[in-house]
Amino acid sequence: MLRIVEKATLVTDRTAILSGSRSFSYADLLRASGQFADVLLDQEIDLREAHVAFMVESGFEYVKVQWGMGSTRSHSLRIAAASCTWHYQCSILRLWSGALCEFIPEFSAEKIFRSFARGRINLFMAVPTIYCKLIEFWEKASAEEQEKMTESMKDFRLMVCGSAALPVSIMEKWQKLSGHLLLERYGMTEIGMAISNPYRGERKAGYVGLPLPGVDIRLVNEQYVDVPAGEPGEILVKGDHVFLEYWRRPEATAESFREGRWFKTGDIAVVEAGYYRIMGRNSVDMIKSGGYNISALEIEEELRKYNAMEDCAVVGIENEEWGELIVAAIVTKGEVDTEKLNGWLKERMAS
């Protein structure tokens, strides 16, 4: 019996999962995952590490499948469309301690704050976009409602952000309204979590942190040669946590690895004082202009500090002379003098 399942037998009366309007106990989870394991086994003792592909919606069904497969000695090939890593962490890591996990099937800032107010949640995980939407909802609320929402978050143990680079401005706004400094980290479906700011220790705004135990990280140039300290490079990851292969896509699998099973993430980062800072995707967030590799995310981060800036997006467009020109699409709070904005930005960006 898996240790996580064995531990669940000690807390069968506890609520394990809230999904939609339904509540499931650990007894429900043990029974359903056991039945699913029996279907997979089909009277065999175990599946001897066979591959099993599945696509399941998030919530109780997802956890049932994960637990059931774990009981059969099979390899999961998850083809669920979104948020596999987050759901896996809920189904395996959170439930390990007998915790309650709540799945919200579709985003609603109102429902999330309502869940906070019930006082049953003390750990929250979300992507940067969700934190942006929660901030917008909070800012539009009355002073009385803002106070209630802030009060509902004061007893949280931890709030986490991942899956995309978190703008420093969003981190600072969230800390001001919630009282929590977000723990930012880096990972993806193929590797799980690889780099993280510490739970105890310094959390640096704008950085995803340090490599987790058992994770090896390299930063390389386009020739896959390690870059000197302080220079940006593509993140390569190696470790037991890295996935085996893409399902029925041997060419894509071969293309995604370098010699020695180093997985190519396609993300560009730089190490500063031991902490990794994500600069963007190699394909879309890195602009090659005048012989320089320029991070669109860094320019966006500075633009968001302009007092009239609501939001922005920076891209590169083809140009015969420069290779790519840097262009920004902006949403402002009113009329903006673009010449003054350009001058303001030039003072703050490296030449």
Side-chain angles (χ1 to χ4, degrees):
M1 180 183 290
L2 289 175
R3 287 183 64 194
I4 186 172
V5 176
E6 185 178 1
K7 293 183 75 170
T9 62
L10 305 176
V11 290
T12 54
D13 58 332
R14 287 188 190 177
T15 300
I17 294 170
L18 296 176
S19 185
S21 59
R22 299 190 63 185
S23 173
F24 301 90
S25 68
Y26 276 89
D28 295 329
L29 181 55
L30 288 167
R31 180 170 53 255
S33 61
Q35 291 171 347
F36 182 74
D38 289 341
V39 171
L40 285 179
L41 288 169
D42 192 23
Q43 299 184 355
E44 296 288 335
I45 297 176
D46 64 53
L47 294 185
R48 295 180 291 279
E49 301 186 357
H51 292 173
V52 178
F54 67 93
M55 182 160 58
V56 187
E57 65 180 10
S58 63
F60 179 76
E61 289 298 311
Y62 186 91
V63 182
K64 176 196 77 175
V65 169
Q66 285 281 3
W67 279 38
M69 290 174 59
S71 301
T72 63
R73 287 187 63 220
S74 62
H75 284 305
S76 66
L77 299 173
R78 287 170 282 164
I79 53 176
S83 302
C84 289
T85 302
W86 298 97
H87 298 158
Y88 178 79
Q89 290 169 352
C90 174
S91 62
I92 301 299
L93 303 182
R94 307 297 165 249
L95 297 175
W96 172 269
S97 60
L100 160 71
C101 291
E102 181 172 358
F103 289 87
I104 297 177
E106 57 185 23
F107 174 76
S108 164
E110 183 179 1
K111 287 181 180 179
I112 288 175
F113 277 117
R114 195 184 303 155
S115 176
F116 290 175
R118 286 195 287 267
R120 301 183 69 180
I121 306 297
N122 64 5
L123 169 63
F124 182 64
M125 296 179 163
V127 299
T129 302
I130 287 180
Y131 283 108
C132 289
K133 295 298 183 183
L134 292 175
I135 290 169
E136 289 177 9
F137 184 85
W138 187 93
E139 290 177 338
K140 292 176 181 178
S142 66
E144 181 181 357
E145 288 300 314
Q146 287 179 350
E147 185 176 351
K148 289 180 180 178
M149 286 186 279
T150 296
E151 179 69 17
S152 72
M153 294 182 282
K154 72 174 186 178
D155 292 329
F156 269 67
R157 180 173 64 82
L158 180 64
M159 292 185 166
V160 180
C161 187
S163 294
L166 173 68
V168 174
S169 57
I170 299 302
M171 179 180 250
E172 291 173 345
K173 283 183 179 180
W174 186 257
Q175 184 177 13
K176 185 176 180 180
L177 70 88
S178 72
H180 292 274
L181 180 62
L182 292 172
L183 190 153
E184 189 177 5
R185 70 240 182 112
Y186 169 81
M188 53 202 307
T189 299
E190 290 89 341
I191 63 174
M193 289 298 112
I195 305 171
S196 178
N197 276 279
Y199 178 57
R200 295 184 177 88
E202 183 181 8
R203 300 178 193 172
K204 288 190 175 183
Y207 295 81
V208 293
L210 310 159
L212 291 167
V215 178
D216 293 323
I217 302 290
R218 292 170 58 198
L219 298 184
V220 299
N221 60 22
E222 292 179 351
Q223 289 72 46
Y224 298 102
V225 176
D226 291 0
V227 299
E231 291 192 12
E234 181 182 356
I235 302 172
L236 301 189
V237 182
K238 183 178 181 180
D240 292 339
H241 63 297
V242 177
F243 80 128
L244 179 65
E245 62 185 6
Y246 290 112
W247 187 46
R248 295 181 180 176
R249 296 178 62 195
E251 293 181 359
T253 301
E255 174 61 28
S256 298
F257 286 92
R258 294 292 296 172
E259 300 86 356
R261 290 286 299 175
W262 286 95
F263 176 69
K264 302 186 295 185
T265 66
D267 291 317
I268 305 298
V270 63
V271 180
E272 296 169 340
Y275 280 65
Y276 285 76
R277 177 165 58 88
I278 303 297
M279 302 182 72
R281 292 291 294 172
N282 193 22
S283 56
V284 295
D285 295 321
M286 298 303 296
I287 300 169
K288 297 180 180 180
S289 181
Y292 292 94
N293 289 329
I294 300 166
S295 169
L297 299 185
E298 287 188 341
I299 300 174
E300 291 172 358
E301 186 63 54
E302 289 300 321
L303 279 172
R304 288 192 181 96
K305 296 176 184 177
Y306 196 65
N307 55 13
M309 193 64 59
E310 189 75 38
D311 202 358
C312 63
V314 173
V315 297
I317 60 173
E318 289 186 14
N319 178 266
E320 186 174 341
E321 179 181 358
W322 291 91
E324 286 185 298
L325 288 178
I326 302 169
V327 178
I330 60 175
V331 179
T332 64
K333 299 174 183 177
E335 291 291 329
V336 169
D337 186 323
T338 54
E339 288 189 10
K340 287 184 179 179
L341 175 57
N342 276 326
W344 176 88
L345 184 62
K346 286 178 181 178
E347 293 176 357
R348 286 157 177 78
M349 298 297 297
S351 59

